[in-house]
Each structure stands twice: as structure tokens, then as C-alpha cells.
Amino acid sequence: MSTSAPDTPLIAIVGNPNSGKTTLFNLLTGLKQKVANYPGVTVEKKIGECYSQHGKKLRLIDLPGAYSLNARSPDEAVLRDVLLGRRPETPRPDRVVCVIDSANLERNLYMVSQVLELGLPTILVLNMIDVAAQREWHIDAKRLSEELGVPVVQTNAVTGAGLIELKLTLSREDLAAPQWENAALPEGVRAALEHSRDELRQTGAIHTRSSLLEPLYLLSDHDPTHYGIADSQMARIHELRGRMEADFPGWEDALVAERYRRIEELCAKVLKRPDQEIETITTKLDRILLHPVLGFVNLLLVLGLLFFLIFKVAEGPMGWIETGFGALGSWVEGLMSPGDFRDLIVNGVVPGVGGVVIFLPQILILFFFIGIMEDTGYMSRLAFIMDWAMSKVGLNGKSFLPFLSSYACAIPGVMAARTIDSPKDRLITILIAPLASCSARLPVYSLLIGVLFPAGRVSAWVQAGIMLGLYALGTFGAFFFAWVFNKCVMKGSASPMILEMPAYKMPAIRSILLHVWQRARMFLVRAGTIILGISILIWAASTYPKTQGDTSAQQMEHSFAGRAGKFIEPAIAPLGYDWKIGIGLIGSFAAREVFNSTMGVVYAVESEDDDNLAPLRDKLAGERRPGGGLVYTPLVCISLLVFYVFAMQCVSTVAIVRRETGSWKWALFQLGYMTGTAYLLSLLIFQIGSALGF
Ligand code: GDP
Ligand code: MG
């Protein structure tokens, strides 16, 4: 019963995580999107269009990956509900394309067997034939097709091999329902399911077909998010579930075992593999890269290289952007007649936006590098290497994946935590995710490291080392708090993990560059909208109210922003900060990189006209207290850096955490514990450092 228009069939792409669904989807639809190597990225609904061989339009939907239709997490529940036709916004697919990783045939066939039971016309895609071939596995596709009663196509989604045949098969209008027999249920179980079905249909919990699949999944799934089922009905379902378990103890496990038994039988007929496992490049590489010691050393080297590139390679382009903004400022200054509007542009917009945009090259390098690590398959190893550390704090590698994406930005990281089954693990992961140093911290770190160690005076390796240290500090903090929350705040047992180790491969540079470009655009749009807006606000707050006869510096001090800075100065003076840094801190609670914009605007507004176009780094380095001492002493820089490692300064993340945890409670708790830690640590550093005479 499909509600989609009869002339545009909806085709669902389903399969285990990392079987190549998204890559195939992109190939077929040409609709570009991100390709990542670890579970949890394809959470959102993605629909694209393509044309059949006869020029007929087809719609494709890229569904979340799963190992089984028995859902364990919300995104797996989406998959099950869409396939059962339960979600009103997504019509039930007319056909299914089951993508499987040929090099993991047996495990992948498990979900295939469940999908076949749905009775929808199905096409089986044996993807990753290249990996299977490397291992010298021979899969008899013809025999498999006969056994299952569905067409089987072999593909390599990276090279596009087999794509034409797949398109031809997709174009077939005579696809019949599969001939695979449903797994045999013991007679008693079957009768009980039928009974439940009839009852649930009367209460309205089941609307559709008469098959036993709906009651089967309702009574055996452990994820409570069944779409469109009221709480009252859910209560009854729990009762029925309890009765099933009492009457037929272990019936679910028996069903799983039955499925595997039949798959083994099937594999014996269609799969021939060498007596001895072939040594692939992947197994050889993994012997080093997953080694407990060597793997960790390698990880540090890789990250060290990343930060070296961020400082060394980005240096040139950053200089050009800096010069460009400086030139823009003086050009506008010469062009316009003096007045508030000119000040707004020269002292507000240009330094505010410029102070963030100059970090574009570093952001690009960061995302390019992350892209390479994801696409070669190294990112999944990172999760594996870190699994031991995660287990020490009561989490597992599955939590490390959302945490890893938080190094780019905490927002996708927090959302990726949806893939974690255990509610406790998920909450802890969300709580610690923003401690991963996100890319918005990069501009702040970079600026302050530049003040601390001017380029040229120390090598880029030293700067990279400090940066690595800051990242390590945030990571360590995240682990520490995960441990604390796990011990004291929340009880519950650790859940085991299944981590995918895809084969290593050459990175697809084009798709990485595309992703980097999307990121760059987002960064620039953000600079052109949010950062621009905040810069204008900060300029206005630092310029008004105007007082007659003051110098620029006095004017700044008496402005709204100046007064706000002065107001919080007593609270931050023990950390070593003056009121101007205070203005920066206030601004950066909207978003961290606003610190740079604010300082840019504050020093531009304050300076007398001739020197306001010098690079921000130099202005900071030269800034002096009323008494004559430097403001940005090494100790103050370190105290500030540590503050930015720990403080929760991002309005968007607070909003996402509220949405994902469903309450303000956790969002505010996070804001409090992170910022509190930042304050305490910076206080300790400055006070102890001062006492020691630094
Ligand atoms: P999904 O989780 O099923 O959507 O999988 P993706 O499409 O994101 O693919 C996971 C990884 O496998 C990506 O790095 C792809 O480039 C890679 N990949 C996809 N298909 C193939 C294939 O046929 N051969 C090889 N060697 N790699 C593939
Ligand atoms: Mg995908």
C-alpha cells in the first residue's frame, strides 16, 4: 500500500553501516553529500532522483544503516518504520535495494533475510567486490540470485563498476516479490503473534497488512521509539511482550539462531573462500596502526603533522588575507569622509570579520585532513585505538565516534550520539562532546599562540606542539569528566560495541575537496552573517554613548561595552584578565571565535587613527596595562587558552543539547560544569603562576 505517485516509484537503499549505500546513492542520483567511514553519519533522511533506462523518473531514499531490523537505536527505528510503511511523511518504498559488503557476506545477509521477509520487490547489490576479490573470495552471484529469488548485481561503488547493470535492473518493471521463505516460527509463537496482531489491530496500533511482521517487531524490539504508537498502546505492547517471554522463554534468540542457520546453509552453497586467510594490505597495515603502542605513537605523529601543517602551510595565505583586510580598511578610510558610518566599517566590520576570516586557511587544512583520515579508513582505527581509553572511563568506542566529530564541531557530534544505544552512554557522550576542541577554537588558540610565541622566533613545530597540547588537554578533560559522570552521577552498565574496520583505500580527493568547500562556505557565511552582526553590535557598544572631549581610549572605557567589561573585571581580574579581555569573553559566549572579532573591534575603536590597521596579533602583544606592564604576559595567555579549552561558549551547542536531551536541565548543567571548570583552572594557573613569579 504505497502512497507515492504511481509513476515515480520510491526505491529504498538499505544495508549494514559502511556497506557503501551513500556512495552508491551519490553515484545514482548525482546528488552530492558527505561520505564518511564510520557509523552514525547517515542519520538524516536523504532523497534523490534518477532516471531509469526508459527515461522514467525514480526516487531513491538513502536509509540509515543497521545490522538488523530489530532496532536498537532511534535511527534504526526509522529504518524499520519506513520499511513497514509506518511513517506518514515517508511513503512505504515500492522497491528495496539491499547493499551488502561482499567481504562480510554472512553478517550482511542477516538483515537481507529480514528485508526479504517484507515481501517487497528487492535487488541485492554485492558491493565491495574489489575487497572480496583481494581476499580471493568467490561469490556465485547467479546461484545466490536463484536461492533468494531476487536479481543480484555486483558493484564497486568507488570505481562505478557494475553501475550500468544496476541501473538496468532498477529500470525493470517486472520485478517480482522475492521467493525467500520467511524464517520458520514455532507453532505456538506463531499463534501468539497472530493473537497479538488481532488485538493490536483492534486498538489501532497496527493499521496495515495482515503479515506477522508488525507484531513480530513490536514484540521483539528494544528501542521504545515506535512511530505513531500511543503510550497507552505501548503499555499493552509491553504486557504482551512480557507474556511472550514467559510462555516461550528465549523465543527471540531462537529466531536469531534460526536465521543464522539458514544463512550458513546459503553461504555454504554460494561462497568459496581460500583455506587460509589472504594477507591483504589492510591486515598488514593494521598490524602496525592498531598495535597498542605503535598505533598510539603513530596517532600522535599524525596529529603532530596536522598541527604543523596548520601553522606552516597556512602561514602564507593567512598573511595575504591579513594584508587584504588591512588594505581594504585603508581603502575605505580614504574613500569615505570621517564620521560614524566610516568608523563602523573601518573599526567594526573590517577588523571584526577579518579577525575571523584570516583563519580560513587553517580551517580548510583541518577539514581536508579530517576528510583524508575518514576516507582512507584511518578514522575508524582511531576509534579502535581509543577504545581502551574509553573503556577505562566506562564508555566504549562507539562513544568515541561522536566525540571525534566534535573536533570539527560539537553540533554534529552531539547529534551523532543518537547512534549510541545505551541512554546513559549517550547522555555522557553529549555532556563531554564540547570538550573536544572544535574548529571555532582554532582561531582563538592560533591568535593567542601567536602572541605567546611570535612566528619566526620559534619554529612552527613548537607552535604545533602547544596546539597539540591544548587538544590533548581538552581530550583529557573529556575523559576525566566521563569517568566522573560514570562513577558518581549516573549508574548503568557499559554496553559492548561493534566497530567497523573498513579496508584501507585511496582517498577520494574530489569528494573530500567538495566537503572542504562546503565547510569553507559555511565558515564564510557565518563570518558574513552572525560574526558580521555581532561585530556591528560590539562596535556600537564600544562607540556609544559618545562623550565630548574624550580621547578614543577614554571613549572606549566609557562606552556600554567598556562598562560591561569593567563590571565583570573584578570577577576575572584574579584570572589575570583586564576589562577589555572581559568584553571579549562576554562576546564569545555567543560563539568562541567572536573573541577575535571583539578584540579586533575593541582595539580598532580604541586606537588613534594611524595605527589601527596593524595585525591584531601585534596589537595584543603590544597592549599595556595602565601601570605599564604587558597585558598579554605568557601567564595570561596560558590562563586564557585554558579557559577556552574548557568553557562552554557556544549558543548553538546549548540549543542542540537541549533539543537532544529533551530538557534545559542537562544543557544548563553542561554550561555550568564546563564554564566552572574553565574558571577554576584559569584561576589556579594565574594565581599559582604569579606566586611563583612568572
Ligand atoms: P554507508 O555507511 O553504507 O553509507 O557507506 P558509505 O557509502 O559511506 O561507504 C563507506 C566507505 O566505503 C567509504 O569510504 C566508501 O568510499 C567505501 N566504499 C564504498 N563502496 C566501496 C567499494 O565498492 N569498494 C571499496 N573498496 N570501498 C567502497
Ligand atoms: Mg551512508
Side-chain angles (χ1 to χ4, degrees):
M1 195 189 73
S2 162
T3 48
S4 68
D7 52 336
T8 45
L10 180 64
I11 302 174
I13 301 187
V14 303
N16 289 16
N18 289 311
S19 53
K21 298 178 295 301
T22 305
T23 316
L24 265 180
F25 176 78
N26 287 346
L27 266 185
L28 286 167
T29 61
L31 188 122
K32 303 291 184 192
Q33 62 185 77
K34 193 166 140 22
V35 182
N37 273 352
Y38 50 83
V41 171
T42 313
V43 178
E44 274 153 12
K45 169 170 156 183
K46 278 160 193 150
I47 294 196
E49 281 177 357
C50 74
Y51 287 88
S52 82
Q53 227 56 33
H54 325 297
K56 210 171 132 183
K57 195 190 272 183
L58 307 169
R59 283 189 307 152
L60 277 83
I61 177 166
D62 184 17
L63 289 173
Y67 297 100
S68 155
L69 287 189
N70 284 101
R72 301 187 59 95
S73 66
D75 56 321
E76 292 178 7
V78 169
L79 169 69
R80 175 204 60 211
D81 288 344
V82 169
L83 288 179
L84 289 174
R86 260 200 216 146
R87 297 189 70 96
E89 84 294 346
T90 315
R92 186 171 196 231
D94 302 287
R95 291 175 217 165
V96 181
V97 172
C98 247
V99 181
I100 72 179
D101 168 1
S102 307
N104 274 305
L105 186 67
E106 233 174 281
R107 198 200 58 208
N108 278 245
L109 281 174
Y110 186 83
M111 194 166 86
V112 173
S113 76
Q114 292 180 313
V115 170
L116 293 176
E117 288 181 0
L118 296 167
L120 293 168
T122 302
I123 299 167
L124 190 63
V125 174
L126 296 179
N127 193 33
M128 311 244 182
I129 39 169
D130 51 321
V131 184
Q134 268 176 21
R135 297 195 189 163
E136 297 184 12
W137 285 21
H138 296 287
I139 303 175
D140 186 344
K142 190 158 165 287
R143 180 81 192 267
L144 186 60
S145 165
E146 285 163 10
E147 294 285 333
L148 301 177
V150 299
V152 174
V153 182
Q154 294 184 291
T155 60
N156 175 341
V158 172
T159 61
L163 188 73
I164 293 180
E165 204 197 330
L166 175 59
K167 271 204 128 172
L168 280 172
T169 317
L170 279 175
S171 308
R172 276 175 56 181
E173 291 180 7
D174 60 341
L175 283 182
Q179 283 149 32
W180 177 253
E181 253 175 68
N182 289 8
L185 293 166
E187 200 40 54
V189 172
R190 189 182 180 81
L193 283 177
E194 278 171 358
H195 183 81
S196 306
R197 173 191 62 196
D198 295 341
E199 190 197 313
L200 291 171
R201 206 188 277 146
Q202 272 167 20
T203 65
I206 295 180
H207 308 279
T208 47
R209 296 154 308 281
S210 54
S211 90
L212 285 186
L213 292 176
E214 287 226 48
L216 177 67
Y217 288 115
L218 279 174
L219 296 188
S220 63
D221 276 5
H222 298 283
D223 185 85
T225 46
H226 282 268
Y227 191 85
I229 293 187
D231 288 351
S232 57
Q233 291 164 340
M234 217 48 224
R236 180 65 190 142
I237 288 168
H238 280 294
E239 262 172 55
L240 287 170
R241 192 181 288 172
R243 210 168 65 203
M244 281 292 278
E245 195 49 49
D247 291 351
F248 309 98
W251 71 278
E252 288 174 47
D253 295 345
L255 185 57
V256 174
E258 164 68 7
R259 284 193 208 280
Y260 269 117
R261 188 189 62 73
R262 297 178 67 207
I263 289 168
E264 261 170 49
E265 254 176 43
L266 180 64
C267 283
K269 292 181 200 160
V270 302
L271 174 64
K272 262 212 268 340
R273 43 186 144 186
D275 300 334
Q276 272 216 309
E277 278 288 320
I278 300 288
E279 276 260 290
T280 59
I281 301 171
T282 296
T283 37
K284 283 182 199 149
L285 270 178
D286 272 345
R287 210 168 294 141
I288 299 167
L289 298 182
L290 292 183
H291 187 274
V293 180
L294 293 180
F296 198 72
V297 171
N298 181 70
L299 170 67
L300 287 182
L301 285 178
V302 167
L303 294 181
L305 176 68
L306 167 63
F307 294 125
F308 176 75
L309 291 179
I310 282 183
F311 278 102
K312 206 62 202 169
V313 178
E315 214 171 59
M318 285 173 73
W320 307 331
I321 298 178
E322 197 163 48
T323 317
F325 270 92
L328 182 68
S330 23
W331 182 68
V332 173
E333 198 163 20
L335 199 71
M336 297 170 69
S337 45
D340 278 8
F341 190 59
R342 189 182 79 172
D343 283 357
L344 167 66
I345 306 287
V346 176
N347 296 336
V349 172
V350 172
V353 173
V356 169
V357 168
I358 85 159
F359 295 95
L360 180 65
Q362 296 189 327
I363 304 265
L364 293 183
I365 292 175
L366 180 71
F367 280 105
F368 183 72
F369 210 87
I370 291 180
I372 299 264
M373 294 208 296
E374 278 183 350
D375 212 56
T376 50
Y378 186 62
M379 205 65 142
S380 315
R381 270 73 186 182
L382 225 69
F384 186 85
I385 298 169
M386 296 312 284
D387 187 53
W388 68 269
M390 296 306 267
S391 65
K392 291 273 176 299
V393 298
L395 294 175
N396 65 39
K398 219 169 172 180
S399 295
F400 197 66
L401 297 172
F403 184 63
L404 265 185
S405 39
S406 303
Y407 284 93
C409 173
I411 292 168
V414 166
M415 293 198 339
R418 283 184 199 174
T419 53
I420 301 171
D421 321 326
S422 139
K424 186 199 82 170
D425 287 7
R426 178 165 175 233
L427 180 60
I428 295 182
T429 307
I430 290 176
L431 286 178
I432 62 165
L435 285 170
S437 281
C438 64
S439 55
R441 284 177 176 97
L442 193 59
V444 183
Y445 288 173
S446 214
L447 176 68
L448 290 170
I449 291 177
V451 176
L452 191 59
F453 291 115
R457 225 176 294 160
V458 296
S459 84
W461 281 107
V462 174
Q463 295 187 320
I466 298 188
M467 188 73 105
L468 187 56
L470 293 171
Y471 275 71
L473 183 65
T475 310
F476 174 80
F479 279 43
F480 173 77
F481 280 107
W483 178 78
V484 171
F485 295 151
N486 197 47
K487 274 273 174 287
C488 325
V489 188
M490 291 149 247
K491 298 274 176 237
S493 56
S495 52
M497 76 153 182
I498 318 169
L499 251 190
E500 285 289 293
M501 287 296 144
Y504 289 108
K505 69 177 187 66
M506 289 306 285
I509 298 291
R510 262 190 53 174
S511 91
I512 296 177
L513 286 179
L514 191 87
H515 180 61
V516 169
W517 159 238
Q518 285 165 351
R519 284 290 170 166
R521 222 175 38 194
M522 271 169 59
F523 178 79
L524 288 175
V525 165
R526 197 172 146 95
T529 52
I530 302 176
I531 304 287
L532 173 67
I534 296 179
S535 301
I536 293 176
L537 275 182
I538 289 171
W539 172 82
S542 326
T543 306
Y544 301 107
K546 288 217 166 183
T547 38
Q548 287 298 313
D550 275 1
T551 63
S552 302
Q554 287 165 333
Q555 173 100 34
M556 170 82 232
E557 207 171 331
H558 297 142
S559 68
F560 293 120
R563 285 184 228 169
K566 290 264 180 191
F567 178 75
I568 66 162
E569 194 172 22
I572 55 172
L575 280 55
Y577 315 154
D578 69 353
W579 57 273
K580 288 180 210 160
I581 298 180
I583 302 176
L585 286 186
I586 297 173
S588 56
F589 271 88
R592 296 179 176 90
E593 69 270 40
V594 168
F595 179 77
N596 292 29
S597 312
T598 312
M599 294 334 266
V601 175
V602 164
Y603 290 122
V605 168
E606 188 194 63
S607 67
E608 300 302 337
D609 280 346
D610 45 343
D611 66 337
N612 67 357
L613 296 169
L616 182 56
R617 188 180 50 250
D618 298 346
K619 289 188 194 167
L620 260 55
E623 177 73 2
R624 292 191 175 270
R625 289 181 189 272
L630 284 177
V631 174
Y632 293 88
T633 63
L635 192 57
V636 169
C637 288
I638 292 170
S639 161
L640 254 179
L641 283 168
V642 170
F643 191 88
Y644 274 88
V645 169
F646 286 97
M648 176 70 216
Q649 296 164 297
C650 179
V651 174
S652 318
T653 305
V654 175
I656 287 288
V657 168
R658 198 218 84 94
R659 195 185 79 195
E660 295 292 301
T661 59
S663 80
W664 279 110
K665 183 176 107 185
W666 291 116
L668 294 178
F669 171 75
Q670 183 177 48
L671 182 66
Y673 99 81
M674 285 178 61
T675 312
T677 307
Y679 188 89
L680 267 180
L681 285 181
S682 300
L683 180 73
L684 284 176
I685 287 171
F686 186 72
Q687 292 302 331
I688 295 177
S690 306
L692 294 177
F694 285 105

